[in-house]
């Protein structure tokens, strides 16, 4: 993965960050070579796009990188929608920053 790719980040306040990290990684593990622990996760969706997670006691930190900047907006929406499905018991504020 190259480090000069366009990046989009979001910090989502939640006391359930590790739980959501685990659910999201398990969800995508049937399609991608996902790696994760209770505190970090990595979902390489292709050779040119990747999602990483970091969980701490108060937030889930999301980082999306993609070679094609037009992919970022689509991935932002897909990741946010999936996270909201898993977090249906709480209202999350998911704001992406390019």
């Amino acid at each position: 993965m190259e480090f000069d790719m366009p990046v989009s980040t979001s910090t989502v306040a939640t006391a359930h960050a590790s739980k959501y990290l685990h659910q999201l990684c398990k969800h995508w593990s049937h399609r991608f070579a996902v790696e994760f622990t209770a505190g970090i996760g990595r979902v390489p969706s292709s050779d040119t796009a990747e999602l990483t997670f970091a969980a701490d006691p108060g937030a889930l930190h999301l980082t999306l990188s993609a070679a094609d900047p037009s992919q970022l907006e689509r991935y932002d929406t897909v990741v946010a929608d999936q996270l909201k499905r898993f977090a249906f018991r709480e209202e999350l504020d998911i704001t992406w920053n390019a």
Side-chain angles (χ1 to χ4, degrees):
M1 183 72 48
E2 294 183 30
F3 294 103
D4 60 348
M5 287 192 243
V7 173
S8 184
T9 62
S10 182
T11 297
V12 182
T14 179
H16 307 286
S18 183
K19 173 185 169 183
Y20 297 145
L21 180 156
H22 184 262
Q23 288 177 303
L24 288 164
C25 286
K26 290 292 277 184
H27 173 74
W28 283 310
S29 68
H30 69 283
R31 292 188 62 201
F32 308 113
V34 172
E35 302 168 9
F36 67 98
T37 65
I40 59 170
R42 179 176 170 267
V43 180
S45 58
S46 71
D47 290 339
T48 61
E50 172 178 272
L51 170 62
T52 59
F53 304 98
D56 63 41
L60 179 61
H61 307 275
L62 310 165
T63 303
L64 277 164
S65 56
D68 180 355
S70 67
Q71 287 181 308
L72 281 179
E73 186 176 334
R74 185 174 69 88
Y75 287 154
D76 288 351
T77 301
V78 169
V79 172
D81 288 349
Q82 194 62 48
L83 179 54
K84 287 177 182 177
R85 278 187 45 205
F86 288 127
F88 64 92
R89 290 182 180 92
E90 66 179 308
E91 188 170 329
L92 300 179
D93 179 21
I94 305 168
T95 303
W96 292 98
N97 303 297

